Amino acid sequence: MWKNMGLTGKIVIAMILSIILGLFLNYSGLNGEGSFVNTYVINGFLAIVGTLFVNSLKMLVVPLVLISLICGVCGIGDIRLLGRIGSKTFLIYMMTTALAIATAIGLSMLFGIGKGMTIATEAVFDAQAAPPLIDVFSNIIPSNPISAMANGDMLSIIFFAILIGVSILMVGKPAQGLVQSLELINEVILKMVTIIMNLAPYGVFALLTKAMTELGLDLIWSLLGYMAVMVGALIFHFFITMMIVLKLFSGLSIKTFLVKMREVQIFAFSTASSNATIPITLRTVTKRMGVDNSVASFTVPFGATINMDGGAILQGTATIFIANIYGIDLGITEYLTVILMSVLASIGTAGVPGVGLIMLAMVFTQVGLPIEGIGLILGVDRILDMLRTTVNVSGDAAVTAIVAKSEGKMDLAIYNDPDAGTKDVFDGHIDENSEREFSKVFSDDVMGSEYDGVKRRP
């Protein structure tokens, strides 16, 4: 039964089992400090499996973004079109971020979360300084592109890849062979993504079991109101706001989009990392939704870097919650400041680890809230971060679909085909499509004119 089940079904079962097992271990006390379960199972075996899975995804991010974006720029073929796509993408991302935080503030005020509450906690929060906005923009051009790739500086990698792509376009026909080679490398990397996807059920099980085990049930109950409002804001933003935006600007089927996003959302939820999910998002929007790589290769990594809808919802919800707990009244000026700061911080803190909490510390400082209040919500931030990441990557895909549709860079036949991209799964054998493409690339018809001395083996 397991062998014949689809990948999505396997991942869903793994999620359900991991949540049940994790909460059981937490509730039963078997994960106590120094116990065998805690030392060798939770922080041993499961931690190793989860880390290996996340690292395997992160391993492909830089080469995939670099090669895919170079191919994308070459595929666009028009530098002015690239500028139009970039401007359109940026404006939509900023608009959805503003809508996200407005939704969070509205719901938080409506339900009055935090009023009359006192929460005792030993958690402390050491606020790291966010880089100045001027440094973010000045560092977009990397002084050392190899170092930028090693550090995963996504904005620098995007700039370097675009520069290479534009340079290849300027060289013209002599660079055609290089473009074909890069496209083949891109296909190989996407096949690697497919292979890693088959490990997803086991990686998801390990990650979620560990997370659920460490998440105390008592803490959940004490912060239930805060969590409920944030989850409600996340759900409203994605299923209502983003789907209205998607339908309004593209006319695409919402149901089809939601169905094809399930795997991406599960990956994002389990890893809590937009960057780690880039390979899966790219594969989904190109193979499952029919978005041309020339658009997806730019919008997806760009969105993973600056699209912080989930983080914006954190700013709005946490600001109202902490203000109510400390009895601090915020006026319309402070609310507008929170909205503006969240939109700007989504750019200014791009690519920084723990970006959500750094953004929150910036907002708290600006509106006069005690930064130590962040320590009150740290206990449940892991599970909420997983949900925020899910909303972020879903927004990346929605904006990608909108931009691609508006530029005529989407194959609607693939988008409307429910089975598109589902059969491209590695099972230990080369699938027929891959074998046919391999034969095509290395056939005498394609290679013969330029490689007369190379003969295929029978």
Side-chain angles (χ1 to χ4, degrees), residues 66-79 81-82 161-172 175-176 178-180 182-183 292-295 297 409:
L66 180 67
I67 302 299
S68 182
L69 189 48
I70 294 173
C71 294
V73 172
C74 295
I76 291 177
D78 186 344
I79 299 176
L81 178 57
L82 176 64
I162 291 175
L163 183 60
I164 294 176
V166 170
S167 301
I168 291 175
L169 286 176
M170 295 176 68
V171 171
Q176 186 176 356
L178 174 60
V179 174
Q180 292 175 344
L182 290 172
E183 288 176 346
D292 194 280
N293 183 63
S294 61
V295 173
S297 61
K409 296 286 186 178

Side-chain angles (χ1 to χ4, degrees), residues 163-441:
L163 183 60
I164 294 176
V166 170
S167 301
I168 291 175
L169 286 176
M170 295 176 68
V171 171
K173 191 174 181 179
Q176 186 176 356
L178 174 60
V179 174
Q180 292 175 344
S181 298
L182 290 172
E183 288 176 346
L184 284 174
I185 294 174
N186 190 49
E187 286 298 319
V188 170
I189 296 175
L190 285 175
K191 287 296 179 183
M192 294 171 67
V193 174
T194 301
I195 294 172
I196 292 173
M197 284 179 65
N198 286 269
L199 303 175
Y202 312 102
V204 167
F205 178 82
L207 289 168
L208 282 187
T209 301
K210 187 175 186 296
M212 291 298 110
T213 302
E214 296 171 348
L215 190 64
L217 289 175
D218 293 338
L219 189 59
I220 291 178
W221 284 115
S222 66
L223 293 172
L224 190 60
Y226 166 75
M227 293 181 66
V229 171
M230 181 175 291
V231 171
L234 291 168
I235 291 174
F236 183 90
H237 178 71
F238 175 62
F239 286 102
I240 305 299
T241 304
M242 285 306 303
M243 293 304 98
I244 290 176
V245 171
L246 177 66
K247 192 67 177 180
L248 188 63
F249 287 99
S250 71
L252 295 170
S253 168
I254 293 175
K255 180 180 178 181
T256 301
F257 179 83
L258 293 175
V259 169
K260 295 194 173 187
M261 279 301 297
R262 284 183 303 191
E263 285 182 1
V264 177
Q265 291 168 339
I266 291 172
F267 272 87
F269 182 80
S270 60
T271 61
S273 170
S274 295
N275 280 355
T277 315
I278 286 176
I280 312 302
T281 309
L282 268 174
R283 180 189 178 278
T284 297
V285 297
T286 54
K287 303 293 186 182
R288 297 274 284 140
M289 297 186 185
V291 174
D292 194 280
N293 183 63
S294 61
V295 173
S297 61
F298 174 79
T299 57
V300 170
F302 191 48
T305 306
I306 73 164
N307 181 33
M308 302 291 179
D309 290 359
I313 289 174
L314 167 66
Q315 319 312 315
T317 310
T319 298
I320 305 299
F321 181 67
I322 298 301
N324 286 340
I325 284 182
Y326 283 90
I328 299 174
D329 293 326
L330 300 178
I332 186 65
T333 302
E334 283 76 18
Y335 291 131
L336 291 176
T337 300
V338 172
I339 294 175
L340 180 61
M341 283 291 298
S342 296
V343 173
L344 293 177
S346 67
I347 307 171
T349 55
V352 179
V355 61
L357 294 176
I358 292 177
M359 290 170 61
L360 189 56
M362 292 170 59
V363 171
F364 275 23
T365 300
Q366 196 67 28
V367 297
L369 292 178
I371 293 180
E372 57 268 22
I374 298 176
L376 299 175
I377 60 176
L378 278 179
V380 295
D381 192 66
R382 166 64 183 176
I383 186 68
L384 293 174
D385 190 28
M386 296 160 78
L387 292 170
R388 295 196 299 266
T389 304
T390 303
V391 170
N392 285 342
V393 299
S394 300
D396 297 344
V399 173
T400 296
I402 291 171
V403 174
K405 180 66 163 46
S406 68
E407 295 293 338
K409 296 286 186 178
M410 171 179 276
D411 189 333
L412 294 179
I414 294 179
Y415 184 87
N416 294 319
D417 180 5
D419 296 323
T422 58
K423 297 179 180 178
D424 184 24
V425 178
F426 180 76
D427 59 0
H429 304 282
I430 298 178
D431 58 79
E432 294 181 2
N433 291 333
S434 299
E435 189 172 9
R436 184 163 54 250
E437 289 297 319
F438 186 85
S439 300
K440 176 182 175 183
V441 170

